[in-house]
Amino acid sequence: MMPGIDKRQVERQFSRAAQTYDDAAVVQHQMSDELLHKTAEALTDPPTSILDLGCGTGYSLIQLQGWFPQARLTGLDLSHSMLARARCRVPNAQFIQGDMEDFQSASGFDLIFSNASIQWCDLSAVLQTAKDCLNPGGLFVYSSFGPGTHHEIARAWNMAQPGKVHHIDFLNESDHLSALDQQGFEVLEHQRQFIAPHFDTPQSLLSSIKQTGATNASSLREKGLLSRETYARFLEYLGQPVPLQLSYETLSFVARFPG
């Protein structure tokens, strides 16, 4: 359901960004905070076991630990450097380096949480992981990015280098709802929002992405060095709209698997 993602590139990108992620991930942290509130509203009983898929530096796990101090916490991430930071921040949690597309667990979870990570994966495979790991009646609560994300960058590249792949077309809200239904999940709530932080220069805009590791990891991406002329055209087109902004289309879903 997703264009090919180069998982080795994803791991490299986020490992390089481990030290800068938390200062730059303003949008991702806002998404996590809102998702945590949706989680608390949807739960009828406190969960005793929680799995965070794509836990990154542990930002969401810290909040989950505060809200549910008695729960057993497990964090899964592809990046060893992200996990190293998470271990320092949430020492009582268990951490596993791995891919959420094929994760397996001997024990079930009452809640699976995932913030701003699923867009790097095949959605059907992640939903299968959630089904296999959830206890009967457990919740799968997650957020992702929609196709409107970073459309300013896609526009600038299309003008500077037509026909070349420089971005990923993320799944839309209907794609997610259809996949959840096909996998037997009951969707309790879903939401689509737009967030558009402003920047002073194209360079600062691009830096905000690089510092979170969220650069292009498509297996179809253009590889090799760009000419200075092409990159200069890209920066020129990127900086033309005033005020300069970077759009994020955020999607969130609260789903129950009857089991």
Side-chain angles (χ1 to χ4, degrees), residues 3 22 24 30-31 37 53 58-59 98 105 121 128 152 176 214 221 256:
D22 284 310
Q30 180 179 334
M31 292 167 64
H37 282 284
L53 293 176
Y59 178 87
S105 175
C121 300
Q128 185 62 55
E152 298 88 352
H176 283 268
R221 70 189 185 282
R256 176 182 290 116

Side-chain angles (χ1 to χ4, degrees), residues 42-44 134 136-140 184-188 254-259:
L43 286 167
T44 54
L134 276 172
L139 289 183
F140 182 30
F185 283 89
E186 176 191 1
V187 178
L188 305 180
V254 179
R256 176 182 290 116
F257 186 64

Side-chain angles (χ1 to χ4, degrees), residues 39-184:
T39 300
E41 292 171 356
L43 286 167
T44 54
D45 297 301
T48 60
S49 52
I50 301 172
L51 171 63
D52 186 350
L53 293 176
C55 66
T57 62
Y59 178 87
S60 299
L61 277 172
I62 293 173
Q63 315 302 321
L64 288 164
Q65 184 179 57
W67 286 30
F68 310 111
Q70 304 304 317
R72 169 175 58 89
L73 300 177
T74 302
L76 177 81
D77 203 272
L78 198 62
S79 164
H80 67 283
S81 298
M82 288 282 189
L83 287 173
R85 289 184 62 83
R87 286 189 182 96
C88 293
R89 303 175 77 178
V90 195
N92 294 331
Q94 177 188 13
F95 291 98
I96 302 168
Q97 183 178 3
D99 191 334
M100 67 176 77
E101 290 185 17
D102 55 17
F103 174 69
Q104 296 179 340
S105 175
S107 55
F109 297 90
D110 298 329
L111 169 65
I112 298 179
F113 185 96
S114 184
N115 179 62
S117 296
I118 285 179
Q119 67 275 3
W120 304 111
C121 300
D122 179 86
L123 177 60
S124 295
V126 177
L127 292 179
Q128 185 62 55
T129 293
K131 287 171 58 176
D132 292 343
C133 293
L134 276 172
N135 290 325
L139 289 183
F140 182 30
V141 184
Y142 74 92
S143 66
S144 187
F145 293 112
T149 300
H150 297 179
H151 70 79
E152 298 88 352
I153 292 177
R155 168 189 169 274
W157 274 124
N158 287 338
M159 295 174 69
Q161 203 175 30
K164 303 295 184 178
V165 177
H166 288 281
H167 66 282
I168 296 172
D169 292 321
F170 296 126
L171 300 178
N172 62 35
E173 186 178 29
S174 295
D175 293 327
H176 283 268
L177 292 173
S178 177
L180 285 161
D181 180 66
Q182 290 175 11
Q183 294 283 1

